[in-house]
Amino acid sequence: MNDTRTLLADTCARLFTDQVPPALIESAEKGTWPAALWQMLEENGLTLPQISESRGGAGGAWGDAHVVLAACGRFAVPLPVAETMIGAWLLSESGLNVPLGPLTVAPVRPAEKLALARDGGSWRLSGTATRVPWGASAGHVVVLAEGDGKPMVALAQGGIAKAEPDVNLAQEPRDTLEWTGAPVLAAADAGAGLPTGALMLAGAMARSTQMAGGLEFLLSQSVKYVTERVQFGRPLASFQAIQHQLALLAGHTAAAGMAAQRAFAAMDEGDAGFEIAVAKIRTGEASGLGAGIAHQCHGAIGFTYEHTLHFVTRRLWSWRAEFGAEAYWAASLGREVAARGADALWPYLTSR
């Protein structure tokens, strides 16, 4: 990590330590929008770190976004930071202006499709998207849709869709949105720099690094707890069975973090499909195993609402299934390998 990203990581850690206490997460889970926290993130340039300055961003790279999103995962920040970064990327790569405020993106499931139809000089949006993060409350929705037989990116005003509110296991909004010939604010052909399946790829990459950050929290909290907790006259950390579990958790955390970091580096290099699929599989697997280990080390206390452990473990379980679970990305990798042929597998792996 270079000096700039070290400074960025320190800024995120200080801000979230001060501004994201358990009370704020509890309030967000009951439906209160943390407006002051969002304003701080925008003022510090943390919502659009990889967007060019000409489009209203901080002028950094995806590697900078990785630092911010890992911290968001570690502190269970209850805001659509990842969705705003992705939406702004789709807009800017397609030559569209990026509005201020929180964004969300749709559709977030590969089987769902949206359509744009011409209406004179403008476009109208139709279709249904399920499990849209903060779909009913985001200021704008950035959609990837089909228009005139080609992929397009459009910006829709928030609140114009028929919304059916829902939440995930972590009580984060995951709403169903339905548009029926709704006007959009702007639309353009999907930018040439956007890869096929851009929204799914970026979403999987973002969730991977959020999960990697969450695993770092689980490891630090588990080490702290077993060091302080005394049983049978000595700290839990002195028992070999506990040490073995913590070693497993540390290994999964390190592997997940490296996979997520590599995906963002590949994104900056321009060809990240393989690395993103690997990262989503590895961090998803680590999240399931890591959450189990952390709760075992904490005993029953980690399940109580008063303890902070569940704020992160419930997010890990939820994020694992979003933007494609391990099975989806494993199948994608398998098809890619099969298409290349057996002789190309080893050279391809060693070239990444």
Side-chain angles (χ1 to χ4, degrees):
M1 187 180 295
N2 59 35
D3 291 344
T4 301
R5 288 175 186 168
T6 299
L7 181 62
L8 182 59
D10 291 343
T11 299
C12 291
R14 285 198 302 273
L15 192 152
F16 294 153
T17 299
D18 293 339
Q19 303 298 329
V20 190
L24 182 135
I25 303 174
E26 291 177 17
S27 175
E29 291 192 352
K30 294 174 183 175
T32 302
W33 171 256
L37 177 61
W38 179 265
Q39 185 176 350
M40 288 182 194
L41 296 187
E42 278 198 328
E43 290 174 351
N44 283 278
L46 300 179
T47 56
L48 304 175
Q50 88 288 12
I51 302 300
S52 67
E53 293 181 2
S54 63
R55 296 287 180 186
W62 278 107
D64 303 309
H66 167 262
V67 174
V68 177
L69 290 177
C72 287
R74 190 160 59 250
F75 288 88
V77 174
L79 288 169
V81 180
E83 291 76 7
T84 299
M85 290 181 185
I86 297 167
W89 172 62
L90 294 173
L91 291 172
S92 61
E93 288 292 323
S94 302
L96 299 174
N97 292 328
V98 180
L100 286 173
L103 304 176
T104 190
V105 292
V108 296
R109 288 183 163 180
E112 296 178 351
K113 307 294 180 187
L114 300 175
L116 286 166
R118 284 189 182 278
D119 181 23
S122 59
W123 294 85
R124 288 185 176 273
L125 177 65
S126 297
T128 300
T130 62
R131 310 297 293 172
V132 179
W134 285 271
S137 56
H140 295 85
V141 184
V142 181
V143 302
L144 199 57
E146 189 87 1
D148 281 351
K150 54 190 175 184
M152 297 186 68
V153 173
L155 177 67
Q157 181 69 50
I160 65 169
K162 178 184 177 183
E164 182 179 335
D166 201 352
V167 294
N168 63 11
L169 187 61
Q171 301 300 307
E172 294 175 320
R174 295 293 185 266
D175 309 318
T176 295
L177 301 181
E178 180 182 353
W179 296 271
T180 306
V184 297
L185 299 174
D189 292 351
L194 294 176
T196 302
L199 181 47
M200 285 295 293
L201 284 170
M205 183 177 69
R207 289 291 185 263
S208 296
T209 202
Q210 288 175 289
M211 287 190 283
L215 283 162
E216 291 177 5
F217 172 82
L218 297 191
L219 179 60
S220 64
Q221 283 295 104
S222 298
V223 170
K224 182 174 184 291
Y225 181 79
V226 302
T227 303
E228 295 173 346
R229 174 71 173 171
V230 175
Q231 195 68 277
F232 306 116
R234 53 182 177 145
L236 287 176
S238 66
F239 291 91
Q240 194 171 35
I242 295 294
Q243 295 169 4
H244 177 62
Q245 290 299 308
L246 289 178
L248 285 175
L249 178 55
H252 285 302
T253 300
M258 185 54 65
Q261 184 177 349
R262 180 64 197 126
F264 276 77
M267 194 71 161
D268 279 326
E269 294 163 2
D271 177 17
F274 175 84
E275 285 80 2
I276 290 173
V278 170
K280 191 63 164 61
I281 294 168
R282 188 64 186 91
T283 55
E285 178 187 44
S287 293
L289 296 169
I293 292 172
H295 277 288
Q296 287 172 347
C297 289
H298 278 76
I301 193 172
F303 284 98
T304 61
Y305 198 77
E306 291 73 18
H307 201 278
T308 58
L309 186 68
H310 68 91
F311 286 128
V312 172
T313 54
R314 285 188 288 118
R315 281 168 172 75
L316 291 178
W317 289 323
S318 299
W319 294 339
R320 182 180 182 183
E322 295 180 347
F323 293 102
E326 293 100 289
Y328 171 85
W329 289 106
S332 175
L333 274 181
R335 285 192 294 270
E336 182 181 347
V337 168
R340 290 176 183 276
D343 293 340
L345 176 58
W346 183 249
Y348 181 67
L349 289 177
T350 55
S351 68
R352 305 306 295 182

